[in-house]
Amino acid sequence: MTHVLVLGGSGFVGRAVCRDAVQRGWQVTSLSRSGAPPETILAQDTALRQVDWKRGNAIEEEGIRASAALEGCDVVVHCIGTLVEGWGGLPSDTRRTYDDLSLKTTQSLLATISPNSPRKAVGYVSANDFGYLGSAILPGYYRAKRQAETLLLNQAVGESPLLRRVVVIRPGLIYGWERPATVPVAWIYNLFAFFTAGYAPMGKPVDAVARTLLNALEAPEASPRQIIEVDQI
């Protein structure tokens, strides 16, 4: 049985990844700052109730090690991130930057993987840059995402790669009914994308993003490095 560790599994994208992995028959462990999602969500979702929810801070190496979440897993999916820096209902002295959530968590993950253990596959949920429009508006967000991508992709090549495989997925707008406000926004946005001949990438359902990523990680005899763009989701 495949055992997947989902960093940020209690979030919007993370829950979709956890749910899809459970439905594949995988053993699923989530590591996030909040631990399990709210009980109201778990009560309505049989798949999510099968996840081993662990609480920990993936920004620090000790946070990953203390949870023992890496032990025995074959696959790691990194879903940690936020579009609005410093947001999240935390006190101002504990709010996290783009570098904290995207780059430092990736560095901590790599630092806690032993080169003597069986090599793991890693999936990373990144972001499309909206034809460079997004990177002009949120430069720190995209810089941290691309730096994290590079760190991971570099660990899947060379004479003694640390990782067996790395899959980076770059969705644009992600929507789903678990966040109801995203659905009408996506409808309007996708009309704009359609009538502007694809100037902006189409928004994708969160379940499709999760399914595409796990399909790629599960694919036999695939390339050790793969980047999935919006039109491939």
Side-chain angles (χ1 to χ4, degrees):
M1 177 187 294
T2 298
H3 183 185
V4 59
L5 166 64
V6 184
L7 300 181
S10 61
F12 180 48
V13 177
R15 291 197 301 269
V17 171
C18 288
R19 185 182 302 110
D20 191 282
V22 167
Q23 292 169 348
R24 292 168 190 261
W26 294 8
Q27 179 182 347
V28 183
T29 301
S30 165
L31 176 66
S32 63
R33 188 181 61 234
S34 61
E39 192 59 38
T40 52
I41 292 177
L42 295 179
Q44 302 174 29
D45 199 314
T46 303
L48 292 184
R49 292 200 295 271
Q50 299 179 52
V51 175
D52 180 13
W53 301 101
K54 294 185 180 294
R55 185 191 300 270
N57 182 2
I59 294 175
E60 304 295 338
E61 295 174 33
E62 292 76 12
I64 299 177
R65 288 195 177 99
S67 69
L70 273 175
E71 293 181 7
C73 73
D74 315 291
V75 177
V76 181
V77 176
H78 184 301
C79 298
I80 300 172
T82 182
L83 190 62
V84 183
E85 191 172 35
W87 183 84
L90 295 172
S92 59
D93 60 342
T94 59
R95 291 177 183 169
R96 302 305 186 185
T97 66
Y98 294 135
D99 281 348
D100 287 334
L101 296 175
S102 294
L103 186 56
K104 289 186 180 180
T105 51
T106 301
Q107 292 171 330
S108 294
L109 169 63
L110 292 173
T112 53
I113 296 177
S114 170
N116 299 319
S117 64
R119 290 186 298 146
K120 305 179 189 301
V122 174
Y124 182 73
V125 180
S126 188
N128 181 278
D129 58 13
F130 293 83
Y132 301 105
L133 176 63
S135 56
I137 299 173
L138 296 170
Y141 174 77
Y142 289 100
R143 182 191 66 249
K145 287 287 190 184
R146 297 295 178 259
Q147 288 176 339
E149 288 180 15
T150 300
L151 279 177
L152 290 169
L153 291 167
N154 285 345
Q155 294 297 332
V157 294
E159 293 184 1
S160 301
L162 181 66
L163 302 176
R164 169 169 54 88
R165 186 144 192 267
V166 172
V167 178
V168 172
I169 191 166
R170 293 174 175 171
L173 179 68
I174 303 175
Y175 64 93
W177 285 110
E178 284 193 56
R179 286 190 179 175
T182 64
V183 177
V185 170
W187 290 342
I188 296 170
Y189 172 84
N190 280 349
L191 278 175
F192 168 78
F194 177 78
F195 285 110
T196 56
Y199 174 76
M202 296 291 286
K204 298 292 182 178
V206 66
D207 292 337
V209 174
R211 183 169 59 252
T212 302
L213 178 57
L214 294 190
N215 282 347
L217 287 167
E218 196 175 36
E221 300 179 4
S223 168
R225 301 196 300 178
Q226 181 179 1
I227 297 177
I228 302 173
E229 302 290 357
V230 175
D231 59 358
Q232 298 171 290
I233 299 173

